[in-house]
């Protein structure tokens, strides 16, 4: 099976959480993986895990909202790993606040990392994908895209990523490139732990509350999202594009 075997993947925000899970899964499935994060040393920890079990990976330090850093990182990936076939736009931050308390900086930071970051990474990556007439772009949306109290900035960015995904699917499809989005529900990571702390509950309480509200009665883990990413990233998924896959234990159903 071709899958992602010998393909080159770039995963942003890959030092921890969902990004680290996706990087590990793609590497386990045979891809050569570039793990990009703000802090290169943190990205190296994911790389060490991958190489420790025989995978191929490199660590990159870059801010996805900085055009020059993104271009340099993408050039490095292509030079060191031999092209770029799979991009996972995963880097993210939260700056939650009710609208009347949300600062301009809260708004701009979230837009810059999620939307500008995905735009810059996709733009730099598509050059290599178009040259190869092959590519897979996967962006991390969220169930919050349809609206969530305290997340005017994040909801807007996550719905924006769905629009970006569909547009990239239209523009890049003729070059053998697909673009899809994953919209996770609650996934246990540093991001959700920080949110639990901020609202004064434990991560266990947050997990339980989410489990109660979905049909599968459990919280999500990074491997759940990595599984969806592996599907979109696979060569066999070339007829699947412009889609948004909600991976949330069915919580939108109840
Ligand atoms: P996480 O544990 O906080 O990991 C996000 C990673 O992105 C961190 O390593 C972070 O680095 C990095 N990052 C932040 N800003 C960056 C930038 N400008 N350039 C490069 N890297 C940057 O979050 P997660 O829970 O795994 O979330 C991953 C993605 O899934 C995010 O887009 C998030 O919005 C989305 N998502 C998560 C959930 C969930 O329940 N966890 C649900 C729906 C969607 P620092 O730690 O140094 O900031």
């Amino acid at each position: 099976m071709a899958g992602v075997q010998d393909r080159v993947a770039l995963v942003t925000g890959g030092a921890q959480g969902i990004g680290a899970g996706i990087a590990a899964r793609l590497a386990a499935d045979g891809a050569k993986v570039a793990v990009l994060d703000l802090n290169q040393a943190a990205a190296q920890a994911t790389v060490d895990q991958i190489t420790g079990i025989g995978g191929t990976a490199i660590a990159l330090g870059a801010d996805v909202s900085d055009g020059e850093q993104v271009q340099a990182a993408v050039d490095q990936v292509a030079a060191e790993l031999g092209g770029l076939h799979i991009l996972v736009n995963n880097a993210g931050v939260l700056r939650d606040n009710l609208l009347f308390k949300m600062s301009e900086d809260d708004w701009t930071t979230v837009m810059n990392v999620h939307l500008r970051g995905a735009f810059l990474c996709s733009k730099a990556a598509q050059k290599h994908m178009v040259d190869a007439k092959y590519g897979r772009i996967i962006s991390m949306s969220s169930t919050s895209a349809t609206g969530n109290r305290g997340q005017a900035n994040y909801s807007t960015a996550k719905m924006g990523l769905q629009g970006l995904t569909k547009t990239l699917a239209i523009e890049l499809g003729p070059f053998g490139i697909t673009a899809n989005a994953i919209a996770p529900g609650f996934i246990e990571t540093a991001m959700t732990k920080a949110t639990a702390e901020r609202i004064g509950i434990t991560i266990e309480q947050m997990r339980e509350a989410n489990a109660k509200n979905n049909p599968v009665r459990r919280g999500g883990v990074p491997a759940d999202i990595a599984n969806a990413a592996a599907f979109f990233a696979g060569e066999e998924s070339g007829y699947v594009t412009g889609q948004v896959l909600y991976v949330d234990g069915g919580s939108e159903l109840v």
Side-chain angles (χ1 to χ4, degrees):
M1 188 179 98
V4 299
Q5 188 67 44
D6 298 328
R7 297 293 185 187
V8 176
L10 169 60
V11 182
T12 71
Q16 60 183 29
I18 292 172
I22 293 172
R25 171 64 189 266
L26 294 178
D29 289 356
K32 295 179 267 184
V33 182
V35 180
L36 181 151
D37 213 287
L38 272 177
N39 180 335
Q40 184 173 3
Q44 186 62 43
T46 304
V47 167
D48 290 345
Q49 280 185 354
I50 291 171
T51 54
I53 52 170
T56 303
I58 60 169
L60 304 166
D63 179 345
V64 294
S65 66
D66 181 307
E68 282 181 18
Q69 291 183 31
V70 166
Q71 191 60 56
V74 166
D75 289 346
Q76 188 184 338
V77 173
E80 281 188 36
L81 297 180
L84 177 52
H85 311 110
I86 301 162
L87 169 67
V88 183
N89 288 313
N90 169 79
V93 290
L94 293 179
R95 292 290 185 275
D96 293 357
N97 239 324
L98 292 174
L99 179 64
F100 78 100
K101 287 196 278 191
M102 186 172 283
S103 68
E104 287 187 33
D105 190 53
D106 291 335
W107 177 268
T108 307
T109 298
V110 167
M111 293 304 152
N112 279 348
V113 178
H114 295 267
L115 277 182
R116 184 178 159 82
F119 158 66
L120 291 172
C121 291
S122 302
K123 188 173 174 191
Q126 61 79 34
K127 164 88 176 63
H128 297 279
M129 296 176 178
V130 168
D131 286 349
K133 296 272 184 294
Y134 183 91
R136 302 280 181 263
I137 298 174
I138 301 159
S139 298
M140 215 47 65
S141 182
S142 168
T143 49
S144 294
T146 51
N148 198 26
R149 185 181 166 80
Q151 293 194 316
N153 49 3
Y154 186 79
S155 301
T156 304
K158 290 308 198 187
M159 190 53 98
L161 284 171
Q162 296 191 16
L164 177 69
T165 294
K166 288 171 193 290
T167 303
L168 297 186
I170 294 166
E171 291 187 12
L172 299 175
F175 303 98
I177 301 164
T178 65
N180 292 286
I182 301 169
F186 166 80
I187 305 295
E188 204 165 321
T189 66
M191 184 179 273
T192 38
K193 277 182 195 135
T195 300
E197 262 171 40
R198 191 175 55 77
I199 63 176
I201 61 171
T202 64
I203 188 68
E204 289 76 21
Q205 287 169 322
M206 185 177 255
R207 186 198 309 138
E208 265 172 45
N210 276 278
K212 247 185 232 157
N213 285 318
N214 74 40
V216 303
R217 298 286 188 268
R218 70 167 175 88
V221 292
D224 293 312
I225 305 306
N227 186 48
F231 167 71
F232 284 133
E235 188 173 326
E236 298 78 2
S237 299
Y239 204 54
V240 181
T241 195
Q243 301 305 301
V244 181
L245 180 60
Y246 281 75
V247 182
D248 62 353
S251 54
E252 83 281 8
L253 302 172
V254 293

